[in-house]
Amino acid sequence: MKEFTEDEYQQMDKYLHHQLPQAEQQAFELRLQAEPALADELAWLKKMEANYRYIKLKEHFEDIHQKLDQERALDRGAAVQTFWQSWRRTLSLAASVVLVMGVGWWLWKNNQAAPRPMAQNKPPVVEQPKENFPTVEAPTMDVVALASGYAKQLPKDEAPVPAQLQKAVNSYRNNQPDAAIAALQKMPDTADNPTPDEGLYGSSKDAKPNNPTAIDPQNGQYRYFYLGLSYLKKGDGQRALAALKKVKNATLKPSTEWYEALALITLEQNNAAKIRLDKISKDPNHPYQIEATEVYDAMIR
Amino acid sequence: MSGTNNCQQYESDRTLFFEALRQKIRQAEECLYRLGFKMAVPKIRQNGATLSEAEDVFQESIIAFHLRLHTFTADAKPTSILYTIVRNKWIDMCRNKKDFVDITDDFPIAATEPCEDEKLLEDQMQEQLRVAIGQLTPESQRIVQLLIYEKMKPDDVAQALNTTRASVDNQKYRIIKYLREKLKGGKQS
């Protein structure tokens, strides 16, 4: 079996994921034609990745099935029975009735023959002690509730907000996320900074490249940040995450990481949330180190 | 927002539903599972499947749905596409059954074809992979999961794991070599 180098595997990986520049791709395809061992290895790699994804998906959906089953959220319906199936069932039901009636008649006959017990011979009625059910412990701290609580808090160490965003940010601070979202979405745009919804679902109506009234791209970063926070305050983790993912500003980055982790928890993306929280909790300079540690600990408890 | 509310939101906005499924949002996945299950499982049982067979077909179908997810557009509802996959899988299983009654009436959607990945699936390789990956360190397992299952870029994996891109590349190389060694008996040349 031929050994391939790290560079060759990287090239195969890029080829599989369509990340090679066109010239390199063509050169690689020529190599594939000339080197059966390379083509074979590439085919194996592709197959291995497909099978691995299948295994993980299977585990994932078995987990979902189990959870929904425990919550009794799976509606299995009733299978429609064929004529013979229902006829068999009717017959067995009738047989059961006959059997019960027969046993009842036999018992009645036996009772008739035996002397009836005197009232005074009856055993005294004793109240049975009630079964002691174990007390249910109070549930441990609900991670989602903990994250939701933090998600509603204002960010720490807020930098001065750009004047253009002041009104919208005030709405967010005054616990009016809908008003904040509406104001942030209305703002004029820049070519390099599409409207938030365009980034989300390709549904922008207001994108105007070269708009003379466009806000500064740097301010646009604050817009995404507060848009994400406003959605999070409303409990819409998905839109919050989509907006926060667009924030690249270094000043806002630490807070963004924290709020992204909280959004992931509301979406029950616990593994992804844990990775972020773990990273934050290990950074002594991170403004949310203590909070991240608390939430992370609650998640693994 | 509760799971049920989210599910109503997804049911009314299929673009949002697809987007959430592509982002692997757990609530969206649970919503699709619940709705698809309710729609498909009783129907397959009406066509002669036991409950266990119906649930197995549904499980296979929802995995196929996610493997093909990148090929779907929002022309049809995710639940309808899932139903079509379930139906096709059940028909495949029942081709030899004389009393099979087709269940096409409700959702006349063009049949969805298996994607390239599905054609590469092989029980033997899955079994070998399960064992081999179970023997990797937790960190290596996480790298494999992020790169292959989550389809994250190496730079993003490096950032998520607080390491360098070179380290991620190198670890991936070593993992592939290890898997190659472990699985070479199962390789078809």
Side-chain angles (χ1 to χ4, degrees):
Chain A
M1 187 170 59
K2 192 191 166 190
E3 286 287 313
F4 293 93
T5 64
E6 186 174 342
D7 284 346
E8 282 173 319
Y9 273 114
Q10 273 188 30
Q11 207 172 21
M12 284 187 246
D13 198 46
K14 283 182 181 168
Y15 179 77
L16 277 182
H17 300 105
H18 312 287
Q19 288 165 355
L20 281 180
Q22 199 172 358
E24 278 185 52
Q25 186 183 322
Q26 285 168 352
F28 188 73
E29 279 166 357
L30 285 175
R31 266 194 77 188
L32 285 174
Q33 285 170 15
E35 296 176 43
L38 182 69
D40 195 32
E41 191 65 11
L42 182 76
W44 176 81
L45 202 59
K46 196 173 175 181
K47 186 173 172 182
M48 187 273 287
E49 290 196 357
N51 279 279
Y52 175 75
R53 274 194 288 274
Y54 177 86
I55 293 173
K56 295 304 286 183
L57 276 172
K58 198 169 171 128
E59 287 172 4
H60 182 64
F61 284 106
E62 278 168 0
D63 183 48
I64 286 183
H65 181 95
Q66 204 175 356
K67 180 187 174 243
L68 293 176
D69 209 18
Q70 279 169 0
E71 291 172 2
R72 296 172 186 274
L74 294 178
D75 187 349
R76 291 179 166 85
V80 171
Q81 291 187 331
T82 63
F83 171 78
W84 286 110
Q85 280 172 326
S86 15
W87 180 237
R88 260 206 319 252
R89 192 175 156 196
T90 312
L91 267 181
S92 50
L93 204 70
S96 308
V97 170
V98 169
L99 187 71
V100 167
M101 283 177 73
V103 171
W105 178 81
W106 183 79
L107 284 173
W108 179 78
K109 282 293 283 178
N110 277 358
N111 258 353
Q112 291 291 317
R116 308 187 88 176
M118 300 290 287
Q120 58 269 36
N121 292 338
K122 282 186 183 172
V125 177
V126 179
E127 196 177 347
Q128 294 295 317
K130 282 182 185 161
E131 199 175 341
N132 284 329
F133 290 103
T135 50
V136 179
E137 277 185 40
T140 52
M141 172 68 86
D142 180 354
V143 177
V144 176
L146 182 64
S148 302
Y150 276 128
K152 285 173 187 156
Q153 289 183 8
L154 301 180
K156 287 182 183 178
D157 307 327
E158 278 185 288
V161 177
Q164 281 174 290
L165 303 176
Q166 195 63 59
K167 195 179 159 197
V169 173
N170 284 345
S171 297
Y172 159 75
R173 285 179 184 152
N174 294 330
N175 217 12
Q176 297 169 320
D178 286 319
I181 291 165
L184 289 164
Q185 283 184 329
K186 249 189 244 167
M187 287 183 173
D189 236 318
T190 59
D192 58 342
N193 193 26
T195 50
D197 268 355
E198 183 183 39
L200 290 176
Y201 307 114
S203 59
S204 169
K205 294 169 189 163
D206 307 324
K208 291 173 190 164
N210 307 320
N211 184 343
T213 60
I215 60 170
D216 179 79
Q218 192 61 16
N219 294 352
Q221 291 283 299
Y222 280 83
R223 179 168 65 160
Y224 282 122
F225 179 70
Y226 282 102
L227 194 64
L229 264 54
S230 303
Y231 277 127
L232 200 52
K233 205 167 225 181
K234 277 185 70 181
D236 188 343
Q238 191 181 336
R239 286 194 166 87
L241 197 60
L244 290 169
K245 276 186 173 169
K246 295 182 192 307
V247 179
K248 307 289 176 203
N249 179 303
T251 314
L252 297 172
K253 200 68 194 160
S255 300
T256 306
E257 286 173 343
W258 164 243
Y259 284 106
E260 272 182 6
L262 298 178
L264 286 165
I265 292 172
T266 66
L267 295 169
E268 298 178 29
Q269 303 277 79
N270 288 347
N271 285 338
K274 272 190 211 162
I275 291 172
R276 282 170 175 77
L277 291 171
D278 186 37
K279 187 182 166 201
I280 297 171
S281 65
K282 285 176 182 160
D283 180 356
N285 298 319
H286 201 288
Y288 290 96
Q289 188 199 18
I290 295 169
E291 291 87 344
T293 309
E294 183 192 355
V295 179
Y296 184 84
D297 287 349
M299 289 177 89
I300 59 170
R301 209 177 288 149
Chain B
M1 221 181 322
S2 74
T4 313
N5 286 343
N6 267 338
C7 209
Q8 285 167 356
Q9 193 187 356
Y10 291 134
E11 276 187 276
S12 61
D13 185 347
R14 68 178 71 154
T15 311
L16 177 72
F17 205 172
F18 272 115
E19 187 66 28
L21 290 169
R22 288 195 181 108
Q23 286 180 24
K24 293 190 167 71
I25 305 292
R26 171 91 180 200
Q27 284 167 345
E29 291 171 341
E30 285 184 8
C31 176
L32 178 68
Y33 199 99
R34 203 156 52 77
L35 295 173
F37 193 95
K38 184 180 177 182
M39 190 186 276
V41 169
K43 204 74 164 159
I44 311 172
R45 291 179 70 195
Q46 283 175 20
N47 278 278
T50 63
L51 180 59
S52 151
E53 281 171 340
E55 291 191 3
D56 284 350
V57 169
F58 182 76
Q59 275 280 342
E60 285 298 316
S61 303
I62 199 148
I63 294 170
F65 176 96
H66 279 81
L67 289 171
R68 300 173 199 177
L69 186 54
H70 63 284
T71 66
F72 300 144
T73 59
D75 295 338
K77 286 181 183 175
T79 43
S80 304
I81 296 174
L82 175 59
Y83 181 87
T84 309
I85 298 173
V86 174
R87 172 190 165 275
N88 289 348
K89 282 209 180 282
W90 180 238
I91 288 174
D92 282 347
M93 281 179 70
C94 297
R95 280 223 164 101
N96 297 326
K97 275 195 173 185
K98 284 180 189 169
D99 58 346
F100 179 71
V101 183
D102 200 351
I103 51 176
T104 54
D105 302 346
D106 300 309
F107 297 95
I109 297 170
T112 46
E113 291 298 319
C115 66
E116 215 176 325
D117 269 9
E118 286 174 84
K119 294 172 189 162
L120 300 172
L121 298 180
E122 188 186 278
D123 290 347
Q124 189 193 2
M125 184 180 246
Q126 285 158 25
E127 209 39 60
Q128 290 172 326
L129 262 177
R130 265 196 202 97
V131 175
I133 286 181
Q135 290 168 349
L136 289 171
T137 63
E139 195 192 352
S140 296
Q141 288 187 26
R142 193 185 278 185
I143 286 178
V144 178
Q145 176 166 346
L146 295 178
L147 285 170
I148 301 177
Y149 177 62
E150 308 281 351
K151 294 185 179 174
M152 279 170 70
K153 290 180 180 154
D155 284 327
D156 295 334
V157 174
Q159 199 190 2
L161 301 179
N162 219 8
T163 183
T164 61
R165 162 76 192 254
S167 166
V168 171
D169 283 340
N170 182 259
Q171 286 194 70
K172 185 181 179 188
Y173 171 63
R174 284 192 285 124
I175 293 166
I176 286 173
K177 276 185 74 175
Y178 160 82
L179 291 176
R180 191 76 186 81
E181 186 64 31
K182 287 274 176 185
L183 272 68
K184 69 178 177 185
K187 185 194 153 194
Q188 291 174 346
S189 54

